[in-house]
Amino acid sequence: MTLYGRSAVLNELVPELVGLKPEGHSLLPIPDGSPLLVRCTGGRYSGKTALLERLAERYAQRVPQAYADLGADDFGQPGLAPPDNDGTANASRTTDLLFYLMDRLSQQPRQFRGKLTFPRLTQGLLAVTSWQAVQPAELAAARSRLAGLLRESEPDQQKRRNQVAGWITQVTEGLGAVPGLGPGLRELVPPLAEIVTTELLGPHANRDGLKWWSKRRVNSQGDAHAQLTELAMRFRGDRDDRRSAERHLHAALLEDMADHYTLLRRMNRVPRPLLLLDNVHTELGQEVWDTLTRVWHEETPRAWPGVVATSLAAEPAVPDPDSSPSTRNAAGPFWRQEKPETPVGWVLRLPLARLALDEVKEMFGADRPEPGAAQVIHRLSAGRAGIAHTLVQAVRGQIRRGEPVDVRSLLDLPYGAEPAPHVNERLLGILIPAQVARARLVYYATALDDTAAHHLSIHYPPGDPGGVPVQETLAQLRDDHWGRCPWPGIDGPFVGDPTLRTLLLHDLQLRTQETPEAERWKNIHLMLRSLYAPDAYGSTMASHDVRYLHHSLAIGDTDTVARALHRRLAQQDAPSWLAALSLICAAPHPPANLIAPPAATLSCPACTTDDDPVHQAVLLLLINLWEQSHPLAPPGMEKINSVRLQLLTLAQWSAPAAQRVFFQAHEQWPLLLNRWRQAPDLPTYGEART
């Protein structure tokens, strides 16, 4: 798909890091200093992977590059086997990754001058993967065997090649029995024979590669072979020792790439390699990223590659483009002239820009959707590129089939050719891939706080595997970086991201439309409502908790809510009353097949006459604001005009202090509703008290 709001990264930042214009063969001057490590952040389905894929496509056959998904067992490369669950002393996920990156970066692009070679990293990886544990008395002999593997021993070049090729064959066969290297990764090892045969035989490798290792001081003393021996032994130590060894291997990777850039190549502006790392927020990703930034900070910077990484991060419910830099308006410099005080100083963190409405409209191309469709998609997706694109494609499919599009039924549209899942099902499958977590969240999304979710977990979802479901679900939301944006006056809702909550509640509505599930929606909200009942006897004289009224409205009990709100007018200041109204009107709408509660038989204790104008204003304000706050509702002039009129009525029947607040709402709420604002995000013009 077309990438929107990413031009700064695509056309400015990365071209400067690699020294090559986005299109064509024009070279760019490489600034003095050292490049920053770029980390693009965003929520799920916000276009992070699409950005890296576009960069990989743009620089294919132009610069050496490697893409790795650190959240995938196969690093995002189909055909690579997942790692063996059994641990091994000879390998780790980091060494697997370095084997993979070396394989990718050593492939010469057609338009690149020369080929990257990796003698230092090859020597380090061979030392780590070929070393076998020995007794102390055998240590000298083991070191000698390793030296023999790495040392040039034949004056004749061809004999040297044959001899080292034989050594590599033995190492490769030995690696085949190592449980940590799956079949897919073993396939990467044989090509190393050619690399090693080329790199470890000539004077370049012996002069520079082993010389570099001799200066690493992995051990307190000794030559390169002693240092590599210590590297292999440290790799088999405790966690800290292994991390130390892996830092040396990362340093070898960077130094090998930098070694390609001789003075002549730097003068000729040879472009730099590009390293693309996806999902660095994962366990492996964070380890690799922390190691990389530390090595970047500790080593003497030279001609290092451009590095662009992506990671999940919580996003605000309402984006503020002025709060932080973004990929829409990222500005240089992207290089450091002076060394920062800490490793994190090398990182340029860029929140991915949320799409603007015009960019959502551009996604439709020549297709013309129903009025308001683009705005509904923009609001529902919160500007996340992947979500917006999925919704747009569903609407375009409907248009091309010649079928009308009702924006209120947007989430029920099929995605793709028939038979196809509804767009809501597809989005939830992507955003919450874990089935158990998704099933729980569908029900817990109705809860306004953690306590309510705990009560739900006793009965829902049916067939739950058990454990500690609420805590596990909270951990899932946290690990997936779903933000929790509390509503005014409460600590919830349990699912705080508006987009995710809408999709989950819609899924629950679909489930409860099926027989025999028609009453499940009602039973859920009655259970939740009971947590906030006025008192043990359900007295109508007690003040109703706003959460009680929220769940009452979710089952269509408008009479109860209107009576309670009318009574609150005399008990609350106007800002608090508006805050309560806004939170109540954020209640989800019940399934179409849910039978409405019977008409109320109780009279409203706040009414002075049978046709009390204030009560009528409260009831109409409640109904129209609730309808206008449906997540898929476009602004409706009739409903908005009714909201305006009822707020004016409340102002006319209020004391001076409240009159000012209600009149201000009468002037501004309709404008905000016309600008696609909804409850519970409407202003209250004062400090609300619960």
Side-chain angles (χ1 to χ4, degrees):
M1 71 179 188
T2 302
L3 288 184
Y4 297 93
R6 312 290 186 253
S7 60
V9 173
L10 294 170
N11 301 326
E12 299 174 28
L13 194 158
V14 174
E16 183 173 319
L17 292 181
V18 301
L20 187 62
K21 287 189 175 181
E23 307 292 343
H25 304 283
S26 299
L27 302 177
L28 295 172
I30 300 293
D32 294 331
S34 301
L36 296 179
L37 295 153
V38 181
R39 183 167 180 168
C40 298
T41 63
R44 278 200 177 277
Y45 223 27
S46 57
K48 303 181 298 299
T49 299
L51 174 64
L52 296 186
E53 289 174 346
R54 175 56 59 85
L55 288 171
E57 176 186 355
R58 175 168 285 188
Y59 289 96
Q61 300 297 346
R62 303 178 73 201
V63 299
Q65 62 168 283
Y67 165 84
D69 181 355
L70 303 186
D73 288 341
D74 60 1
F75 301 128
Q77 177 61 42
L80 283 185
D84 197 317
N85 290 331
D86 296 331
T88 173
N90 294 69
S92 68
R93 287 294 283 158
T94 296
T95 58
D96 289 349
L97 174 66
L98 291 173
F99 269 115
Y100 172 72
L101 294 179
M102 181 167 60
D103 177 76
R104 283 290 178 264
L105 291 166
S106 63
Q107 299 178 26
Q108 181 178 359
R110 288 193 297 268
Q111 302 173 23
F112 187 72
R113 305 175 192 177
K115 176 182 178 181
L116 295 186
T117 56
F118 296 89
R120 297 164 184 80
L121 180 57
T122 302
Q123 291 163 342
L125 288 174
L126 282 174
V128 165
T129 57
S130 64
W131 182 267
Q132 299 297 328
V134 296
Q135 296 294 327
E138 301 170 324
L139 187 58
R143 185 181 300 116
S144 177
R145 287 196 299 271
L146 177 62
L149 178 64
L150 300 172
R151 185 175 55 238
E152 176 184 52
S153 60
E154 285 285 345
D156 181 77
Q157 183 179 23
Q158 187 57 47
K159 288 184 178 180
R160 288 202 313 268
R161 288 182 181 273
N162 294 338
Q163 183 173 353
V164 174
W167 288 335
I168 298 303
T169 299
Q170 295 175 15
V171 173
T172 302
E173 292 173 351
L175 287 175
V178 175
L181 289 176
L185 283 173
R186 288 194 206 105
E187 293 173 1
L188 292 179
V189 179
L192 292 178
E194 181 180 353
I195 299 172
V196 175
T197 300
T198 302
E199 294 307 318
L200 298 188
L201 302 178
H204 177 78
N206 283 308
R207 183 182 65 246
D208 296 330
L210 293 177
K211 182 179 179 181
W212 184 83
W213 278 111
S214 69
K215 295 180 179 180
R216 290 305 295 175
R217 291 294 178 258
V218 185
N219 194 12
S220 59
Q221 57 188 358
D223 59 10
H225 305 129
Q227 303 301 326
L228 288 167
T229 298
E230 180 65 22
L231 178 78
M233 297 175 67
R234 185 168 294 182
F235 188 84
R236 285 151 182 77
D238 60 22
R239 179 181 176 85
D240 290 338
D241 284 339
R242 175 165 284 199
R243 293 292 172 265
S244 174
E246 289 173 346
R247 283 198 299 275
H248 288 290
L249 294 174
H250 275 81
L253 172 70
L254 294 177
E255 185 65 22
D256 281 336
M257 282 191 276
D259 197 46
H260 180 81
Y261 292 86
T262 60
L263 176 61
L264 180 60
R265 283 173 172 155
R266 293 198 298 271
M267 293 175 61
N268 289 333
R269 298 182 182 177
V270 175
R272 304 291 171 84
L274 185 59
L275 193 57
L276 306 172
L277 302 176
D278 205 358
N279 291 316
V280 297
H281 64 277
T282 59
E283 182 179 0
L284 172 64
Q286 196 58 52
E287 287 183 4
V288 170
W289 185 255
D290 290 346
T291 301
L292 185 62
T293 54
R294 180 169 174 177
V295 170
W296 208 273
H297 182 69
E298 293 175 349
E299 302 296 317
T300 302
R302 292 205 297 151
W304 284 359
V307 178
V308 181
T310 64
S311 65
L312 272 178
E315 297 178 310
V318 179
D320 180 3
D322 299 324
S323 63
S324 62
S326 73
T327 51
R328 188 185 305 282
N329 56 8
F334 309 127
W335 295 66
R336 290 294 301 253
Q337 305 303 317
E338 298 179 358
K339 184 176 181 178
E341 295 182 0
T342 60
V344 74
W346 290 104
V347 179
L348 176 63
R349 190 179 178 90
L350 293 178
L352 288 178
R354 299 201 181 198
L355 300 187
L357 175 59
D358 286 344
E359 292 167 330
V360 173
K361 291 180 177 179
E362 288 178 31
M363 289 183 175
F364 283 99
D367 295 321
R368 291 292 174 262
E370 295 291 325
Q375 289 86 343
V376 168
I377 290 173
H378 182 249
R379 182 180 63 195
L380 177 61
S381 67
R384 294 187 183 99
I387 297 176
H389 181 260
T390 301
L391 295 169
V392 167
Q393 291 303 103
V395 173
R396 295 184 74 185
Q398 197 80 347
I399 293 172
R400 292 172 183 179
R401 287 187 290 270
E403 300 176 8
V405 178
D406 178 5
V407 293
R408 291 289 289 260
S409 302
L410 172 64
L411 296 177
D412 299 322
L413 297 179
Y415 186 86
E418 296 286 358
H422 290 169
V423 65
N424 193 79
E425 180 184 351
R426 176 178 173 82
L427 285 172
L428 279 180
I430 293 172
L431 299 176
I432 308 290
Q435 293 185 3
V436 172
R438 187 166 66 249
R440 289 169 172 171
L441 281 167
V442 165
Y443 290 92
Y444 300 169
T446 58
L448 292 180
D449 50 46
D450 294 2
T451 301
H454 278 288
H455 279 79
L456 279 175
S457 68
I458 298 172
H459 303 284
Y460 302 102
D464 190 84
V468 281
V470 173
Q471 297 304 323
E472 291 169 2
T473 305
L474 286 170
Q476 182 81 37
L477 291 170
R478 182 195 65 234
D479 293 344
D480 285 351
H481 295 270
W482 289 106
R484 290 191 79 176
C485 304
W487 288 356
I490 62 173
D491 295 330
F494 183 82
V495 178
D497 184 88
T499 301
L500 180 60
R501 187 169 187 268
T502 296
L503 298 175
L504 292 166
L505 290 173
H506 187 77
D507 188 85
L508 182 59
Q509 288 171 335
L510 293 178
R511 294 178 186 220
T512 53
Q513 285 177 354
E514 301 173 0
T515 305
E517 308 294 337
E519 291 296 306
R520 182 172 292 184
W521 177 278
K522 180 179 179 180
N523 293 336
I524 288 172
H525 285 282
L526 287 175
M527 177 190 298
L528 294 172
R529 186 174 77 166
S530 68
L531 300 176
Y532 316 109
D535 58 30
Y537 304 100
S539 171
T540 58
M541 297 304 295
S543 178
H544 290 81
D545 189 295
V546 68
R547 294 167 292 182
Y548 180 97
L549 301 176
H550 173 96
H551 291 295
S552 296
L553 192 57
I555 57 175
D557 191 359
T558 55
D559 287 339
T560 296
V561 179
R563 290 196 307 272
L565 282 172
H566 191 184
R567 289 188 62 227
R568 278 173 170 260
L569 277 174
Q571 300 170 344
Q572 284 186 305
D573 58 274
S576 299
W577 192 89
L578 289 177
L581 173 69
S582 186
L583 190 145
I584 293 166
C585 289
H589 288 67
N593 65 333
L594 185 67
I595 300 175
T601 58
L602 297 173
S603 60
C604 175
C607 285
T608 57
T609 63
D610 290 340
D611 55 351
D612 189 300
V614 175
H615 187 94
Q616 290 300 315
V618 170
L619 178 60
L620 290 174
L621 177 59
L622 170 71
I623 292 173
N624 285 285
L625 183 59
W626 184 39
E627 287 294 327
Q628 190 55 67
S629 296
H630 189 289
L632 300 180
M637 290 310 301
E638 184 177 349
K639 296 181 181 66
I640 293 175
N641 286 336
S642 180
V643 169
R644 178 187 288 110
L645 177 60
Q646 311 318 322
L647 286 168
L648 180 60
T649 300
L650 293 182
Q652 292 170 336
W653 288 83
S654 297
Q659 187 179 90
R660 177 189 61 80
V661 173
F662 285 129
F663 188 78
Q664 194 169 1
H666 146 79
E667 289 185 315
Q668 297 183 10
W669 274 23
L671 297 176
L672 294 172
L673 292 171
N674 271 309
R675 295 171 184 167
W676 299 80
R677 185 82 67 87
Q678 296 179 316
D681 299 319
L682 295 168
T684 58
Y685 313 106
E687 184 177 353
R689 295 187 296 273
T690 57

